């Protein structure tokens, strides 16, 4: 990519330092969260999977406690992924997560560097720097050679503010969805797990333990329609932007489908031998190997889309259950614990339809399920709408990103003004 601006080496902007090598004996189940390479993803810190150490341990390494606005980068594994520490967040940084310590006279504003590192071309260059061994590693000395455009500082701030405003709107939608999901989950727990309002005298024994009178125990297969993907092989991929996309476990991330890197097969195969594996809006897809039980809701904008191996598609059977009840069940501790206990595989745990057919589920009367659906379905419709809006904003941000950073487009032009 050609830049209108002069460029300077990263060594004149900031020093990249790898985090602290915490020992295994330091890890505990709660405490001060420690950012690992897997937590640095898509421009933000994904908190799932953080390690934890005690406040006592944290006090011994105060230089590795994050500050507001710190720019972090994965130096191995997901090399080149970056994140920014939001205001009020407090973490420690684990080994091989790098932090940029900016020089006092740095000609580049931190948030501008963050967006420059998010350019696909920059990510590819950083990955090239890290190659050369079985496990790619980005060294501080290699990173120091990275050339970074340095427009006037006022322009840098304007660019960062424009792109940051889009990221803030995306983050607000993400937080709104987290609140909505918590509301739907709390209502489900109250009605169907804690049995709030049901007197002890109104409970009955069952093979699954005490359940309210009027409930019944059924095989999961009798009330839920599920199907596993077919196992599409590498040689069937089109390796182009043409054809029909299909999903695998890596597409299920953070409760949503990320299809940017999804592979494709020809329309002939997708609509022929794999026609019965096409997904529909409101299907629930769940990962069946690796990290078991990751789920996502299929949206209309994802289609056409075909199921593949290591993913199972779930649909409610009319008259037995409904979408919202099924979604909460599949994301609840009861189901996820059953998956872990039943999953097989010496190297990597996995489960499939044979395991699901062994699962029994306690079901309330269908009228109660429908009452919950009446309340929860509008919540999920709003969640789906917010995810679609987030995707649109992310596409706008990703379109503006290279144009603004290269100087091809100026901030005034994005705001309807004219560049002098």
């Amino acid at each position: 990519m050609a830049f209108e601006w002069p460029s300077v080496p990263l060594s004149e902007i900031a020093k990249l330092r790898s985090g602290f090598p915490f020992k295994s004996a330091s890890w505990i189940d709660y405490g001060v969260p420690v950012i690992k390479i897997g937590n640095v993803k898509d421009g933000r810190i994904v908190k799932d999977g953080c390690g934890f150490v005690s406040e006592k341990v944290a006090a011994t390494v105060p230089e590795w406690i994050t500050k507001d606005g710190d720019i972090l980068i994965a130096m191995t594994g997901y090399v080149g992924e970056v994140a920014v520490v939001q205001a009020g967040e407090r973490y420690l940084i684990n080994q091989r997560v790098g932090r940029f310590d900016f020089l006092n006279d740095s000609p580049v504003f931190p948030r501008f560097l963050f967006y420059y590192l998010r350019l696909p071309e920059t990510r590819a260059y950083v990955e090239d720097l890290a190659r050369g061994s079985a496990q790619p590693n980005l060294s501080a000395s290699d990173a120091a050679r990275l050339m970074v455009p340095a427009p006037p500082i006022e322009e840098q701030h304007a660019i960062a503010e424009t792109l940051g405003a889009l990221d803030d709107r995306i983050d607000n939608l993400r937080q709104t969805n987290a609140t909505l999901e918590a509301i739907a989950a709390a209502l489900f727990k109250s009605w169907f797990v804690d049995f709030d309002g049901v007197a002890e005298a109104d409970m009955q024994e069952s093979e699954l333990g005490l359940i309210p009178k009027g409930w019944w125990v059924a095989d999961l297969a009798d009330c839920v329609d599920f199907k596993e993907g077919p196992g599409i092989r590498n040689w069937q991929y089109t390796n182009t932007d043409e054809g029909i996309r299909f999903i695998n476990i890596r597409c299920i991330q953070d409760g949503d489908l990320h299809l940017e890197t999804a592979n494709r097969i020809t329309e002939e195969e997708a609509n022929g031998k794999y026609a019965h594996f096409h997904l529909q809006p409101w299907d629930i897809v769940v990962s069946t190997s690796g990290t078991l039980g990751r789920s996502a809701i299929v949206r209309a904008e994802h289609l056409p889309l075909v199921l593949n191996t290591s993913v199972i598609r779930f649909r409610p059977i009319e008259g037995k259950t409904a979408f919202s009840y099924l979604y909460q069940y599949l994301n609840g501790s009861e189901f996820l614990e059953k998956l872990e206990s039943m999953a097989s595989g010496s190297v990597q745990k996995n489960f499939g339809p044979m395991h699901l057919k062994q699962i029994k589920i306690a079901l309330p009367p269908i009228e109660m399920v429908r009452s919950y659906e009446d309340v929860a379905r509008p919540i999920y419709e709003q969640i789906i709408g917010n995810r679609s809006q987030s995707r649109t904003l992310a596409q706008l941000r990703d379109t503006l990103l290279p144009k603004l950073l290269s100087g091809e487009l100026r901030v005034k032009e994005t705001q309807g003004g004219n560049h002098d």
Side-chain angles (χ1 to χ4, degrees):
M1 175 184 296
F3 291 95
E4 178 177 323
W5 325 109
S7 295
V8 296
L10 183 63
S11 60
E12 297 181 13
I13 298 170
K15 180 180 179 181
L16 178 61
R17 298 180 63 197
S18 179
F20 185 79
F22 291 96
K23 299 185 182 302
S24 57
S26 298
W27 299 115
I28 58 177
D29 293 334
Y30 59 90
V32 182
V34 180
I35 298 300
K36 303 177 182 179
I37 54 175
N39 302 117
V40 179
K41 194 167 191 176
D42 196 28
R44 64 190 184 93
I45 294 172
V46 178
K47 299 177 184 178
D48 291 345
C50 278
F52 296 93
V53 297
S54 67
E55 289 284 357
K56 183 177 180 180
V57 170
T60 66
V61 286
E63 68 271 30
W64 294 119
I65 296 176
T66 60
K67 304 181 294 296
D68 293 354
D70 273 350
I71 308 299
L72 309 181
I73 186 170
M75 299 176 70
T76 191
Y78 308 97
V79 176
E81 286 277 10
V82 292
V84 61
V85 177
Q86 299 298 325
E89 295 184 340
R90 177 174 177 260
Y91 307 100
L92 285 162
I93 307 170
N94 198 37
Q95 188 177 30
R96 305 313 296 160
V97 173
R99 180 180 66 195
F100 294 97
D101 291 341
F102 281 77
L103 306 180
N104 290 332
D105 57 350
S106 171
V108 171
F109 173 59
R111 200 63 181 259
F112 181 84
L113 177 64
F114 167 73
Y115 283 113
Y116 174 67
L117 292 170
R118 294 197 67 184
L119 281 171
E121 294 86 348
T122 309
R123 174 74 184 275
Y125 181 73
V126 169
E127 288 177 334
D128 284 340
L129 288 175
R131 291 194 178 100
S133 61
Q135 173 78 352
N137 284 281
L138 177 66
S139 70
S141 59
D142 283 338
R145 304 199 310 267
L146 179 66
M147 298 301 294
V148 181
I153 199 70
E154 297 82 4
E155 189 75 19
Q156 292 182 41
H157 278 275
I159 291 171
E161 288 174 6
T162 298
L163 297 172
L166 293 171
D167 274 336
D168 287 346
R169 290 170 64 187
I170 292 169
D171 191 57
N172 287 338
L173 289 168
R174 187 181 293 117
Q175 292 180 31
T176 298
N177 275 359
T179 300
L180 292 171
E181 288 174 352
I183 292 170
L187 184 60
F188 180 87
K189 184 174 184 293
S190 174
W191 287 20
F192 305 118
V193 178
D194 297 336
F195 311 130
D196 289 345
V198 180
E200 186 174 345
D202 293 326
M203 301 293 286
Q204 61 181 344
E205 288 286 351
S206 78
E207 58 186 295
L208 297 179
L210 283 174
I211 59 175
K213 291 179 181 178
W215 287 46
W216 54 295
V217 174
D219 292 331
L220 184 67
D222 289 338
C223 52
V224 177
D225 175 17
F226 51 82
K227 182 184 287 292
E228 185 176 30
I232 299 169
R233 304 302 179 188
N234 291 10
W235 57 266
Q236 296 173 270
Y237 301 176
T238 63
N239 296 318
T240 69
D241 292 333
E242 297 181 351
I244 304 297
R245 293 179 299 191
F246 61 89
I247 64 171
N248 53 36
I249 54 176
R250 75 170 183 271
C251 295
I252 304 175
Q253 302 176 24
D254 303 327
D256 200 5
L257 287 179
H258 294 254
L259 303 176
E260 294 83 1
T261 60
N263 292 305
R264 297 173 184 261
I265 55 176
T266 64
E267 291 189 26
E268 181 181 6
E269 277 201 300
N271 297 324
K273 64 188 294 186
Y274 297 126
H276 55 301
F277 291 103
H278 272 266
L279 293 166
Q280 300 175 7
W282 295 96
D283 279 348
I284 304 167
V285 289
V286 178
S287 63
T288 67
S289 66
T291 303
L292 303 180
R294 288 183 299 170
S295 68
I297 302 168
V298 178
R299 305 196 296 273
E301 66 207 64
H302 293 143
L303 306 179
L305 187 63
V306 174
L307 193 64
N308 193 25
T309 189
S310 298
V311 179
I312 292 181
R313 180 271 294 152
F314 291 83
R315 293 173 187 160
I317 293 178
E318 179 63 31
K320 300 292 182 66
T321 187
F323 167 82
S324 302
Y325 185 93
L326 176 59
Y327 181 81
Q328 284 296 327
Y329 173 76
L330 295 176
N331 284 276
S333 58
E334 177 186 347
F335 178 69
L336 297 177
E337 287 169 5
K338 284 180 180 177
L339 293 190
E340 288 290 339
S341 65
M342 299 174 72
S344 59
S346 57
V347 177
Q348 180 168 273
K349 286 187 176 182
N350 60 82
F351 74 94
M354 60 173 280
H355 300 100
L356 296 175
K357 291 176 181 177
Q358 300 173 42
I359 293 178
K360 291 186 179 293
I361 180 174
L363 285 176
I366 189 61
E367 293 79 15
M368 191 175 183
V369 172
R370 287 170 177 159
S371 294
Y372 178 70
E373 182 75 358
D374 288 342
V375 175
R377 182 65 174 239
I379 294 176
Y380 284 107
E381 288 174 349
Q382 185 175 348
I383 289 172
I384 289 297
N386 287 344
R387 286 178 179 162
S388 296
Q389 186 178 349
S390 292
R391 180 57 186 152
T392 299
L393 292 169
Q395 289 174 333
L396 174 59
R397 177 201 62 206
D398 294 344
T399 299
L400 290 175
L401 181 62
K403 295 180 182 295
L404 288 173
L405 268 69
S406 67
E408 176 187 343
L409 183 67
R410 298 297 178 89
V411 171
K412 288 182 179 179
E413 295 171 6
T414 71
Q415 299 170 343
N418 295 316
H419 179 61
D420 294 335

